[in-house]
Amino acid sequence: MSETGAISIDKIRGFLESKGVKPSFQRLKILEYLLKHRNHPSVDTIFQALGDDIPTLSKTTVYNTLSLFTQKGIVASLTVVNNELRYDVLKDPHAHFQCAICSRLYDIPLKNDLFQTDFIEDHQVEDIQVTFKGVCKNCLKSRNVLDKTS
Amino acid sequence: MSETGAISIDKIRGFLESKGVKPSFQRLKILEYLLKHRNHPSVDTIFQALGDDIPTLSKTTVYNTLSLFTQKGIVASLTVVNNELRYDVLKDPHAHFQCAICSRLYDIPLKNDLFQTDFIEDHQVEDIQVTFKGVCKNCLKSRNVLDKTS
DNA sequence: GTATCTGCAAAACATTTGCAATTCT
DNA sequence: AGAATTGCAAATGTTTTGCAGATAC
């Protein structure tokens, strides 16, 4: 497993405090999880994953914490997959690619300057979400295998 | 009310048949509604609106029909607003602008050629959704009024 | 007459809300 | 003790499923 975002609990605590959020154990663990797993987890995924560390954890707390984080600009809830909220730690603006087959979400860097606009058609733009849908490289590979064998 | 897409029932019937969908009364009415109201209605909106024409209509049928249409590539379900599915008749690729205040959805034409790509990072792209979020011109106006009076 | 389509009722989910118990200082 | 946080249980809202009745060819 990739441990890309291995950040110390102390740094996370400091970060939360700097954002005006009291760093409770639950909040620390949830943010740590989000930083470690950059695959846009759902509330349920987070809840399941933290169950081992925090046996008394309630799903309500996960909901509460994520909406607090959203308010404070720490995470963003994004384009819904299968009617459930997915969360993303805020970082450089990027697009998402969602596979129609395995429904995995990938991050796509956005180099294009289309997204520098502050106004479109008199509307004031504050956020941009770009989602590509299609078949991801993994599923393309499996599909090719099938094509060959059939 | 704008009646932009006034298309005859016969044309709609022919279109459905060409897509391999049997043109039942319910299906005709639902597609007619989608063509006439290009404001990304929710299942409930469609259900309410057609209640007059089809008193026996069931919400299940609206769900069934829309997922059939989605399968057949006639409509696309899109980025969820307030956790409900919204539907769009397929037409030229375009972006959406969602107002954070009144939560209205606007269509934004996409002229940029960023979206001609068939592949990004080895993924095969079949659909692109671009959603801008912010404050729409109407709400900007009201906000300005408030600013002046306060 | 058989396939398909429709629609009611119930079930399955995700999310929110009310409130009591817990924790922190 | 007082304020904030947590978590259970119930409520809400959307979507799905099972199945019986209606409809179409």
Side-chain angles (χ1 to χ4, degrees):
Chain A
M1 293 295 128
S2 69
E3 293 270 332
T4 337
I7 299 175
S8 80
I9 285 285
D10 277 342
K11 274 200 178 157
I12 300 176
R13 191 192 324 272
F15 176 72
L16 280 181
E17 273 164 351
S18 80
K19 292 281 186 177
V21 173
K22 288 197 183 156
S24 75
F25 184 60
Q26 286 84 338
R27 290 171 181 172
L28 282 172
K29 282 300 189 180
I30 290 172
L31 182 51
E32 184 189 35
Y33 183 89
L34 286 170
L35 288 166
K36 225 180 248 171
H37 304 85
R38 299 304 193 101
N39 48 353
H40 325 280
S42 67
V43 169
D44 197 61
T45 307
I46 300 168
F47 174 70
Q48 302 291 345
L50 295 183
D52 294 338
D53 274 3
I54 322 169
T56 68
L57 182 67
S58 141
K59 214 178 258 187
T60 305
T61 300
V62 181
Y63 277 107
N64 286 341
T65 303
L66 288 172
S67 67
L68 177 69
F69 284 178
T70 306
Q71 255 173 248
K72 300 288 185 178
I74 297 169
V75 303
S77 72
L78 53 87
T79 305
V80 174
V81 186
N82 296 331
N83 237 44
E84 65 184 8
L85 293 170
R86 296 293 202 96
Y87 288 89
D88 219 10
V89 188
L90 288 175
K91 53 175 178 173
D92 297 337
H94 60 282
H96 293 111
F97 178 92
Q98 184 194 345
C99 180
I101 293 174
C102 65
S103 81
R104 220 180 313 220
L105 273 180
Y106 298 83
D107 281 352
I108 305 294
L110 263 189
K111 4 180 187 258
N112 202 288
D113 57 50
L114 166 73
F115 305 113
Q116 307 303 346
T117 9
D118 283 347
F119 283 87
I120 43 166
E121 313 213 329
D122 301 330
H123 306 312
Q124 178 186 320
V125 177
E126 278 161 11
D127 183 38
I128 299 162
Q129 260 181 222
V130 181
T131 308
F132 299 90
K133 295 188 182 180
V135 183
C136 77
K137 49 187 173 188
N138 285 327
C139 293
L140 275 176
K141 235 181 286 171
S142 337
R143 182 188 273 183
N144 288 341
V145 172
L146 284 178
D147 284 350
K148 275 171 205 154
T149 47
S150 67
Chain B
M1 292 298 127
S2 69
E3 292 272 332
T4 337
I7 299 175
S8 80
I9 286 285
D10 278 342
K11 274 201 179 156
I12 299 176
R13 191 192 323 273
F15 176 71
L16 280 181
E17 275 165 351
S18 80
K19 291 281 187 178
V21 174
K22 288 196 184 160
S24 75
F25 184 59
Q26 287 85 337
R27 289 171 181 174
L28 282 171
K29 283 299 189 181
I30 290 172
L31 183 50
E32 184 189 36
Y33 183 89
L34 285 170
L35 288 166
K36 225 181 247 172
H37 303 86
R38 298 303 193 102
N39 49 354
H40 326 280
S42 67
V43 168
D44 197 60
T45 307
I46 301 169
F47 173 69
Q48 301 291 345
L50 295 183
D52 294 338
D53 275 3
I54 321 170
T56 67
L57 182 67
S58 141
K59 213 178 259 188
T60 304
T61 299
V62 182
Y63 278 107
N64 287 341
T65 303
L66 288 171
S67 67
L68 178 68
F69 285 179
T70 305
Q71 256 174 247
K72 299 289 185 178
I74 296 169
V75 305
S77 72
L78 55 86
T79 304
V80 175
V81 185
N82 295 331
N83 237 45
E84 65 186 7
L85 292 171
R86 297 293 203 95
Y87 288 89
D88 219 12
V89 189
L90 288 175
K91 53 174 178 174
D92 297 336
H94 61 282
H96 294 110
F97 179 93
Q98 184 193 346
C99 180
I101 293 175
C102 66
S103 82
R104 219 180 315 221
L105 272 182
Y106 297 83
D107 281 353
I108 305 295
L110 265 189
K111 1 178 192 262
N112 201 291
D113 56 51
L114 167 72
F115 305 114
Q116 308 304 346
T117 8
D118 284 346
F119 282 87
I120 43 166
E121 311 215 327
D122 301 331
H123 306 312
Q124 177 186 320
V125 177
E126 277 160 12
D127 182 37
I128 298 161
Q129 261 181 221
V130 180
T131 309
F132 299 90
K133 294 188 182 178
V135 183
C136 77
K137 49 187 173 188
N138 285 327
C139 292
L140 275 176
K141 235 182 286 171
S142 337
R143 182 188 272 185
N144 288 341
V145 171
L146 283 178
D147 283 350
K148 274 171 205 155
T149 49
S150 67

